[in-house]
């Protein structure tokens, strides 16, 4: 048997052991801390003076003193094929899909193109400190292969799936209920649970699937334990009205997904803006997650997410960039805009609340908090190293901070990919 691979990482460590909204001591902080990694997993996390003394002689130590070490960010909703239409001007959701999104997604019929974008996309995530993502591919099975290959080569934890879309879209992007089912099933068998990869059944949203396809998507989700389901929900008012027209029997937009067996643990819906209390309660009761995508919601003029309304009922919530409607791959920038969205609703997001959403909260929304999200012993050692001196302005503002909360808030308001000094997957710098 080969001996275990041991390494140590030293710096200022910040992570969550619980939700700061419910626990006074949820945030754990070691001003001079050490993370001990054994074979890619957290062996120990604690104060440096104590842990350094106990490290076996010869253990390599990476010194990040002066920088902060946090669990890798979890992006719970993003579209890799939309990388090339980020920042496209002037439309709201339904027009934006027609004008920008569908044309760019057609190009993923070409596996060479898909592979090139997938590599670029994964590298963008990593340079922003995102170590886990739930991403949409396109309707093309090869687009799923391309993203899984790229993530596997980098050892990232990644969730993706073939988009199911059998109506209300261009011919070139349309599958069929049976064809989409068969292709998804084959992809689940090929990829789900391989290395760090997980499959998500991916009906784009209720308007682009027939009831027959919605039914089969629900069946796939139910028949494969551990598989995810991702879609969009109640993002835009015109979209909500369209769903009411297409599914006249449904009580609400959410009810369409419920009727087709698409709620439950590991089901993740982006946006969730135009919902009522019955919908929110149903999401809480079924363990269905919301992905809050503030940069996208502001960019497309979709509306303001009600975090307090969701949290009060106990809904699982994560944070998503939603690139290409979202305007940044940076989860720091996404926290920045989450703060502003909530300000408009009179809800003040704390720095701890925001960093929790981006790490342990996101992991919990995806039911992955037994593997990622903090530095508890046994977790996968994915982490991000943030440099509070990354820019002249950050350095100046950080120097004036008098508390950890203030320093974290400044990082999320002024930080971006320049702030990310390093990203580690399973202990190793990438
Ligand atoms: N609803 C259906 N498809 C999409 C998409 O690609 N992006 C966003 N933001 N909303 C959607
Ligand atoms: Zn989306």
């Amino acid at each position: 048997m080969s001996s275990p691979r041991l390494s140590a990482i030293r710096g200022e460590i910040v992570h969550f052991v619980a939700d700061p909204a419910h626990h006074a001591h949820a945030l754990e902080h070691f001003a001079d801390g050490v993370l001990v990694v054994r074979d890619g997993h957290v062996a120990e996390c604690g104060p440096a003076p104590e842990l350094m003394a106990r490290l076996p002689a010869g253990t390599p130590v990476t010194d990040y003193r002066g920088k902060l070490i946090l669990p890798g960010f979890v992006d719970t909703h993003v579209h890799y094929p939309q990388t090339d239409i980020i920042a496209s001007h002037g439309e709201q959701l339904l027009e934006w899909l027609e004008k920008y999104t569908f044309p760019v997604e057609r190009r993923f019929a070409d596996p060479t193109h898909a592979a090139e974008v997938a590599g670029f996309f994964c590298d963008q995530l990593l340079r922003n400190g995102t170590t886990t993502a739930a991403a949409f591919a396109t309707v093309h099975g090869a687009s799923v292969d391309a993203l899984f290959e790229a993530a596997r080569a980098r050892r990232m934890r990644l969730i993706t799936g073939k988009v199911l879309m059998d109506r209300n879209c261009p011919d070139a992007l349309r599958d069929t209920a049976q064809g989409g089912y068969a292709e998804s099933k084959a992809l689940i068998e090929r990829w789900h649970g391989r290395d760090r990869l997980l499959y998500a059944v991916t009906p784009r949203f209720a308007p682009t699937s027939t009831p027959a396809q919605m039914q089969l998507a629900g069946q796939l989700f139910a028949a494969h334990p551990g598989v995810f389901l991702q879609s969009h929900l109640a993002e835009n008012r015109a979209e909500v009205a369209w769903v009411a027209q297409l599914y006249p029997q449904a009580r609400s937009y959410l009810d369409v997904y419920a009727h087709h067996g698409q709620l439950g643990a590991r089901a993740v819906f982006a946006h969730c803006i135009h919902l009522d209390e019955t919908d929110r309660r149903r999401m809480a009761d079924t363990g269905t997650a919301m992905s809050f995508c503030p940069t996208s919601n502001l960019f497309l003029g979709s509306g303001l997410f009600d975090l307090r309304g969701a949290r009060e009922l106990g809904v699982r919530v994560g944070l998503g960039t939603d690139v290409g409607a979202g305007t940044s791959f940076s989860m720091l920038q996404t926290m920045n805009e989450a703060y502003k969205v909530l300000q408009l609703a009179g809800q003040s997001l704390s720095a701890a609340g925001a960093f929790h959403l981006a790490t342990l909260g996101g992991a919990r929304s995806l039911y992955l908090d037994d593997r990622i999200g903090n530095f508890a012993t046994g977790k996968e050692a994915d982490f991000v190293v943030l440099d509070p001196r990354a820019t002249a302005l950050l350095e100046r503002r950080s120097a004036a901070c008098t508390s950890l909360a203030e320093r974290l808030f400044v990082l999320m308001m002024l930080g971006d990919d320049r702030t990310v000094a390093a990203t580690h997957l399973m202990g190793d710098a990438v």
Side-chain angles (χ1 to χ4, degrees), residues 77-79 82 93 96-97 136 204 231-233 235 270-271 291 293 296 300 321-326:
H77 182 82
V78 61
H79 299 251
Q82 296 176 13
L93 176 64
W96 175 86
L97 285 172
F136 271 53
R204 175 168 222 122
S231 193
H232 298 91
L233 169 64
E235 175 176 7
H271 311 304
S291 177
C293 304
S296 167
L300 292 179
T321 62
D322 195 30
V323 166

Side-chain angles (χ1 to χ4, degrees), residues 54-65:
R54 283 201 269 115
L55 273 185
T59 305
V61 180
T62 307
D63 194 344
Y64 288 125
R65 273 178 289 180

Side-chain angles (χ1 to χ4, degrees), residues 1 26 38 64 87 106 114 127 273 313 320 333 339 342 358 426:
M1 223 175 82
R38 184 186 296 120
Y64 288 125
R106 288 180 63 161
R127 71 178 291 133
I273 295 168
L313 295 172
Q333 282 299 295
Y339 175 80
L342 295 167
M426 303 298 284

Side-chain angles (χ1 to χ4, degrees), residues 97-98 102 165-171 173-174 204-210 242 246-247:
L97 285 172
E98 292 285 344
F102 291 154
M165 186 154 67
D166 68 343
R167 66 167 166 174
N168 294 319
C169 63
D171 291 344
L173 289 176
R174 188 176 307 151
R204 175 168 222 122
F205 65 156
T208 47
S209 287
T210 59
W242 193 22
L246 290 168
Y247 296 90

Side-chain angles (χ1 to χ4, degrees), residues 263-285:
L263 306 189
R266 281 175 287 279
V268 189
F269 290 87
H271 311 304
C272 304
I273 295 168
H274 308 286
L275 299 177
D276 62 16
E277 178 159 340
T278 305
D279 290 330
R280 288 194 181 89
R281 203 171 284 286
R282 196 168 190 182
M283 294 187 79
D285 291 346

Side-chain angles (χ1 to χ4, degrees), residues 3 32 38 42 45 91 108 154 166 248 275 279 289 297 323 335 338 342 358 365 412:
S3 59
D32 182 10
R38 184 186 296 120
V42 176
C45 175
E91 308 293 347
F108 288 73
R154 292 163 179 78
D166 68 343
L275 299 177
D279 290 330
N297 298 158
V323 166
M335 290 182 239
L342 295 167
S365 80
M412 78 185 224

